[in-house]
């Protein structure tokens, strides 16, 4: 399969320049002006458009079993939908129930992901500690291309990781050359506040943000960062939603710690007023954790991205239908947590970021693709437009507009939290490992062609964190 993308302006995290691209099978094989079109090649006319690395969403939950149900978008519907919006790879999570094998769960998730239409990889969550966990982590890192382990500090009674679990797991991650990643909310406090609110008779979705205020996120984020600092392992904070968490991240970065922060497209543009919507269903569809915040936090997140203090954007796509959300009709703590977003992240970042002057073109690519590839050690195979990189490429029309709606989106979920938002800047073509999978409204996703992406350990950032830590260690005093 040969594709030529002609007449566009290539934008990467570093450069902006006019050039054509030739892809052969699943790789980029030539970049240059006025490339000849080999016979039989497909040609995409990119005149007036930007040609960029496909987006990488580093946090999604396809068909996740969670809170008594399963997320509705699966590895096929999710990967197909995301390609319409310009994302060509996701990193999902294996989340083992307590006392079950990490390795067996990993194989279960690999089985579910066989239907994926685009490339994917897995972080693996450490949800408990006991016999076999450390050995499973070793096997995952050494034999299965897993270089990141996730810790949910929330969801008490289910998948919550306490300090002991984190300290033990961080130590094993350190031994393996892996990154630790964190959902930063103090699960003990959340449980306490939930109980109090229910006792007070607050049972609707407005109880959700009240039970998970920014302080709860700030405390847990800071604690996890301090644990990582003591152990000398790099740490990645998923879905940073508040200034409180950001302050902890910034302080650590200024101390010289290797800390990364991810922001969700949803948290950048939606505020907490949604929980007071008179329509219960609308409010419930916004129940996700951490919750939407008052507006001042949004501006802080944008500033984090603009300044590079936050490096990546994700969606945490974990979609539930209205019927599933109704499980918590009389008790907000039972509403399955999660929202969609996978299909729309790139347009949201472009429209509210680039068009508003908050992000340069190159920063857009950095925070939607290249930085995730660097942090999770798959750069420049992914996140780049270079000869030899995977042919994951999008063609972006900055003049085209669309209105986001559940009526027209490709995701399976029946609600879109960006409903009615008009965005200018639209993906018009997607090439996924050398195949045109989306062109001008025509989705050509193929079930099962997505491949698992191995992510090697001992990334440059891991080595940086380990060396900095080593230099701080006490040296023995040799006495006579
Ligand atoms: O509410 C959310 N974010 N659901 C998905 C699981 C998680 O916490 O990431
Ligand atoms: Zn989370």
């Amino acid at each position: 399969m040969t594709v030529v993308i002609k007449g566009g302006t290539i934008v990467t995290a570093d450069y902006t320049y006019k050039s054509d691209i030739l892809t052969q099978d699943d790789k980029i094989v030539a970049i240059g002006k006025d490339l000849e079109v080999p016979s039989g090649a497909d040609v995409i006319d990119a005149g007036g458009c930007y040609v960029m690395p496909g987006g990488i969403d580093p946090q999604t939950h396809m068909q996740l079993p969670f809170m008594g149900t399963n997320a509705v978008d699966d590895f096929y519907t999710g990967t197909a939908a995301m390609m319409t919006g310009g994302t060509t790879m996701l990193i999902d999570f294996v989340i083992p129930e307590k006392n079950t094998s990490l390795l067996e769960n990993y194989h279960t998730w690999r089985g579910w992901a066989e239907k994926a239409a685009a490339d994917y990889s897995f972080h693996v969550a450490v949800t408990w500690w006991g016999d076999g966990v450390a050995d499973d982590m070793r096997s995952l890192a050494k034999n299965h291309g897993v270089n990141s382990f996730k810790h949910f500090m929330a969801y008490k009674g289910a998948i919550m990781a306490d300090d002991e679990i984190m300290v033990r797991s961080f130590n094993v991650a350190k031994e393996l050359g892996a990154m630790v990643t964190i959902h930063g909310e103090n699960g003990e406090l959340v449980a306490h506040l939930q109980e109090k609110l229910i006792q007070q008779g607050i049972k609707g979705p407005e109880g959700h943000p009240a039970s998970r205020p920014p302080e709860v996120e700030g405390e847990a984020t800071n604690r996890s960062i301090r644990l990582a600092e003591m152990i000398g392992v790099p740490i990645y904070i998923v879905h940073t939603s508040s200034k409180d968490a950001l302050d902890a991240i910034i302080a650590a970065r200024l101390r010289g710690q290797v800390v990364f922060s991810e922001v969700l497209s949803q948290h950048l543009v939606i505020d907490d007023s949604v929980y007071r919507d008179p329509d219960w269903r609308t409010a419930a569809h916004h129940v996700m954790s951490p919750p939407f915040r008052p507006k001042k936090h949004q501006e802080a997140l944008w500033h984090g991205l603009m300044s590079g203090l936050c490096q990546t954007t994700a969606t945490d796509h974990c979609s539930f239908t209205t019927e599933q959300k109704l499980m918590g009709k009389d008790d907000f703590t039972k509403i399955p947590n999660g929202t969609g977003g996978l299909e729309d992240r790139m347009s949201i970042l472009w429209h509210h970021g680039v068009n508003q002057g908050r992000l340069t073109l190159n920063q857009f690519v950095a925070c939607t693709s290249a930085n995730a590839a660097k942090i999770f050690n798959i750069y420049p195979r992914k996140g780049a437009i270079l000869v030899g990189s995977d042919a994951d490429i999008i063609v972006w029309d900055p003049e085209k507009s669309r209105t986001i709606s559940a009526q027209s989106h490709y995701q399976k979920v029946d609600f879109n939290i960006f409903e009615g938002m008009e965005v200018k800047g639209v993906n018009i073509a997607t090439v996924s490992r050398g195949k045109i999978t989306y062109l001008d409204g025509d989705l050509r996703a193929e079930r099962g062609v997505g491949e698992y992406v191995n992510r090697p350990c001992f990334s440059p950032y891991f080595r940086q964190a380990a060396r900095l830590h080593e230099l701080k260690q006490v040296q023995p005093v040799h006495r006579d």
Side-chain angles (χ1 to χ4, degrees), residues 212-249:
R212 315 178 94 99
E215 293 83 350
V216 160
E217 187 185 358
E219 187 282 325
T221 303
N222 186 56
R223 182 157 37 97
S224 67
I225 290 173
R226 286 299 194 175
L227 296 181
E229 181 183 25
M230 291 298 108
I231 291 162
V233 67
I235 184 166
Y236 177 96
I237 309 298
V238 308
H239 50 43
T240 309
S241 76
S242 66
K243 188 169 175 322
D244 304 56
L246 200 51
D247 284 346
I249 291 158

Side-chain angles (χ1 to χ4, degrees), residues 313-334:
T313 56
T315 60
D316 190 9
H317 187 103
C318 185
S319 57
F320 297 104
T321 61
T322 304
E323 201 184 322
Q324 290 172 303
K325 291 281 182 184
L326 281 164
M327 290 165 67
K329 184 77 184 86
D330 302 316
D331 178 348
F332 72 85
T333 69
K334 298 195 166 58

Side-chain angles (χ1 to χ4, degrees), residues 59 61 66 152 155 183 239 288-289 316 318 337-338:
Q59 196 198 169
H61 301 284
F66 192 51
F152 289 89
Y155 307 123
H183 170 132
H239 50 43
M288 67 168 297
S289 298
D316 190 9
C318 185
N337 284 206

